[in-house]
Amino acid sequence: RKVTAEVLGQLEHLALVDFRDAEGVERLQKAIRFADQLQEVNTDGVEPMDSVLEDRCLYLREDDVTEGNCTKELLKNAREKVEEYFVAPPGNIPLPKLEDQETFLQGS
């Protein structure tokens, strides 16, 4: 499928990923191919729902803590961490530096 320049610009802004290089374009095309599989699902005669619960109340269980103090064990799964936080992979468009953000926010 073709993606317009306008949509591409919006996606780049939202995802902080530059789709103008070969890797970015391939990732986008791969995501579109994956999403296109939904077109193959037969939905004839299926009415849209406002909620997957169809007006049923959600049963809430008691929130009993059964495990805890497992931060070190959980952080072993992190590819990258800072102190006790997971670090999400960044896009390939750098975020503005803090001083640039402050300047931008003052102008708005």
Side-chain angles (χ1 to χ4, degrees):
R1 291 183 178 224
K2 286 227 171 204
V3 178
T4 66
E6 182 182 346
V7 170
L8 197 59
Q10 289 174 332
L11 289 172
E12 287 177 334
H13 178 74
L14 291 172
L16 295 176
V17 173
D18 184 354
F19 292 113
R20 290 173 290 188
D21 66 3
E23 181 183 355
V25 170
E26 177 56 33
R27 280 188 188 169
L28 181 60
Q29 290 172 338
K30 193 174 185 180
I32 291 171
R33 283 193 300 270
F34 178 79
D36 276 345
Q37 294 176 38
L38 295 174
Q39 301 297 324
E40 298 176 18
V41 177
N42 182 359
T43 57
D44 292 341
V46 177
E47 293 296 319
M49 295 186 303
D50 292 330
S51 166
V52 295
L53 298 177
E54 295 187 9
D55 299 328
R56 291 188 339 221
C57 292
L58 180 62
Y59 169 75
L60 298 176
R61 63 172 171 77
E62 291 295 320
D63 191 13
D64 296 326
V65 177
T66 57
E67 294 182 40
N69 297 325
C70 53
T71 304
K72 288 181 182 177
E73 183 179 336
L74 291 173
L75 286 173
K76 287 180 186 176
N77 297 315
R79 179 178 288 171
E80 186 177 346
K81 62 186 174 199
V82 172
E83 295 176 1
E84 293 185 354
Y85 296 95
F86 285 89
V87 176
N92 62 2
I93 296 177
L95 290 171
K97 294 180 181 167
L98 185 57
E99 54 272 7
D100 295 339
Q101 288 178 344
E102 290 172 358
T103 304
F104 175 76
L105 291 173
Q106 289 171 358
S108 60

